[in-house]
Amino acid sequence: MTDTRKRPAPQDDVRGLEEGLRALAHDVPPEGLAERIAGDLRALPPPRRSPLLRLRELLPRPAVTWAYRLATLLLLGGILWGVRDLVSVRRRSETAPGQAPGVSLVSGGKGPEAPSKVRVTFVFKAPEAGSVAVAGTFNDWDTAKDPMSRGKDGEWVLQMDLAPGQYEYQFVVDGTRFVPDPNALEEREDGLGNANAVLRL
Amino acid sequence: MLVENVLNGDAESFTPLVRAYTPPLYNLAFKMTGGGESAAEAVQETFFRAYRDLGRYDGRARVLSWLYGICVNVCHDAGKRSRKAREREEPIGDGPGESLAAPGPDAEETMSRRQEEGRLRGCLQRLPGTLRAALLLRYQEELPVGEVAAQLEIGVSAAKMRIRRGLEMLRGLCSEGPRGGTP
């Protein structure tokens, strides 16, 4: 039915491309380019240190280091506080019917404490697709690691157990085409003209 | 440190940096822009911006990595400016594969390697600039993913995503076969 007999695995293709890119010959600048640039730069006014960096240099090194550490701690504390709220909001919303987008959640914990893993079901409808996978921050955007199974009516399904946290993902159709989750509750620009679905657990 | 010397008034200390980093920047710019003259201009503009903004360099990244970041931005800007003009001109065919360095010892082998390389260069040129930059920084300039992310001013996860997608898209383009010369 399909023509997969002698074709190399997708990851082998990719490895070959990685090697090909590494092996591309280095392009050499025309003779005298560096000297010409250096000469042109001499005509410019000398650069000045930015006032912010100058201030940082005036402060003793340990003070700067401790200021960074303190700021990081405060930031982490704020994030943890926010995540705690979100998890509890999500748990409450799980019980509400009609909330299921392309992803449905089943908490793996018992009692009020946060679960160590959360079962997530990805669902994507693509009757015309030959294969669908999920790629995201949970698998380093690997397009081959988490393939979905074809269900009835052209629905592709995959269950995963993920640690609580925030993830971004897209569906990968036929190995190369990235498709945003049409049912995502939250999206974030991926910088390439598409939107990653945001999953908060 | 040379940067320190320049900021302390010794402008001549910038010259060794220009000499040392012109070749790697030219290599990046050539593959980003796909052409010789615009690559030289991009390198020049990179050093101009770096010199102008040297006071803001905080020493956290290596100087060369910092310059790579500037160079990528310069190439993106140049690409945006020239896109309209380029569209009016004729397609250049598979030009990017032409100016290659160091010929190999065996002529036939060199020929087929050149063809293969020319094809890969052609496909690389058809990638979106953001993906091309991520691939070149990672595989040609051999920066770790963290540095690629820092120089493209994106998160590590986004850098991994661009590298993955770049490779996937490149695979798709290369499997389509050569196309550049058809009218």
Side-chain angles (χ1 to χ4, degrees):
Chain A
M1 215 165 150
T2 51
D3 58 343
T4 53
R5 276 166 297 161
K6 284 269 177 185
R7 289 171 63 190
Q11 54 271 45
D12 291 342
D13 278 1
V14 167
R15 215 155 289 151
L17 278 175
E18 288 176 319
E19 280 162 23
L21 286 169
R22 281 198 186 95
L24 280 181
H26 275 234
D27 295 293
V28 183
E31 194 123 344
L33 178 65
E35 297 308 324
R36 206 170 67 222
I37 293 171
D40 288 346
L41 287 172
R42 283 187 197 107
L44 296 180
R48 290 205 182 145
R49 209 180 295 270
S50 89
L52 197 73
L53 283 181
R54 222 178 305 164
L55 181 72
R56 217 177 67 169
E57 275 166 19
L58 287 176
L59 290 168
R61 260 270 186 261
V64 176
T65 312
W66 280 105
Y68 275 136
R69 283 181 188 163
L70 190 66
T72 311
L73 273 175
L74 287 172
L75 193 70
L76 277 176
I79 290 170
L80 282 175
W81 194 258
V83 166
R84 221 182 61 151
D85 282 356
L86 281 170
V87 168
S88 65
V89 167
R90 173 64 81 181
R91 274 217 213 95
R92 262 178 271 134
S93 72
E94 276 164 28
T95 54
Q99 267 285 35
V103 166
S104 62
L105 304 166
V106 180
S107 167
K110 291 174 194 161
E113 69 276 5
S116 59
K117 292 274 183 181
V118 181
R119 176 147 295 175
V120 182
T121 306
F122 293 92
V123 182
F124 181 60
K125 190 154 188 158
E128 78 292 349
S131 72
V132 180
V134 187
T137 48
F138 40 76
N139 64 9
D140 277 347
W141 296 96
D142 193 327
T143 55
K145 199 172 171 188
D146 293 307
M148 300 174 82
S149 306
R150 192 185 193 113
K152 53 186 176 188
D153 303 329
E155 264 192 353
W156 296 79
V157 183
L158 175 68
Q159 282 200 335
M160 290 175 86
D161 291 328
L162 296 173
Q166 184 182 309
Y167 303 97
E168 291 180 35
Y169 68 94
Q170 286 202 30
F171 295 115
V172 187
V173 177
D174 295 330
T176 51
R177 194 157 55 89
F178 280 79
V179 183
D181 187 344
N183 296 312
L185 293 176
E186 188 181 340
E187 292 179 338
R188 184 169 300 151
E189 275 297 306
D190 67 354
L192 302 167
N194 272 329
N196 292 334
V198 177
L199 174 63
R200 294 177 193 271
L201 302 175
Chain B
M1 196 181 164
L2 292 171
V3 172
E4 281 296 311
N5 294 347
V6 180
L7 290 173
N8 289 331
D10 176 15
E12 271 306 308
S13 286
F14 202 70
T15 303
L17 292 176
V18 176
R19 282 200 198 109
Y21 296 143
T22 292
L25 289 172
Y26 183 82
N27 179 50
L28 176 66
F30 192 101
K31 291 181 174 75
M32 280 296 292
T33 58
E37 195 49 47
S38 47
E41 283 165 13
V43 176
Q44 181 162 32
E45 180 62 20
T46 299
F47 280 116
F48 272 38
R49 288 191 195 180
Y51 190 74
R52 187 193 63 198
D53 297 338
L54 199 63
R56 278 191 252 158
Y57 171 68
D58 60 7
R60 273 186 283 183
R62 292 180 305 146
V63 176
L64 180 57
S65 296
W66 179 63
L67 290 170
Y68 279 143
I70 299 172
C71 187
V72 166
N73 285 333
V74 168
C75 292
H76 282 328
D77 292 349
K80 277 181 213 157
R81 273 199 308 273
S82 65
R83 198 162 297 141
K84 281 183 188 167
R86 223 182 290 159
E87 275 166 9
R88 269 183 249 123
E89 291 170 13
E90 282 180 48
I92 306 162
D94 46 6
E98 281 162 16
S99 101
L100 302 177
D106 177 45
E108 265 183 46
E109 199 188 308
T110 308
M111 188 71 158
S112 85
R113 225 181 43 222
R114 280 193 175 198
Q115 281 175 345
E116 198 53 43
E117 178 164 329
R119 210 162 76 82
L120 185 55
R121 282 171 182 256
C123 296
L124 204 54
Q125 286 308 309
R126 285 158 63 197
L127 280 183
T130 46
L131 300 184
R132 190 160 66 240
L135 290 184
L136 288 173
L137 289 177
R138 179 75 188 97
Y139 297 111
Q140 265 281 295
E141 310 307 333
E142 300 190 355
L143 297 191
V145 176
E147 276 192 48
V148 174
Q151 299 321 318
L152 296 180
E153 296 175 348
I154 54 177
V156 172
S157 173
K160 285 180 184 172
M161 182 187 74
R162 284 191 192 183
I163 291 166
R164 282 272 174 199
R165 286 202 199 173
L167 287 171
E168 293 296 342
M169 200 180 277
L170 196 60
R171 186 175 64 169
L173 289 169
C174 288
S175 64
E176 278 173 20
R179 245 186 38 170
T182 51

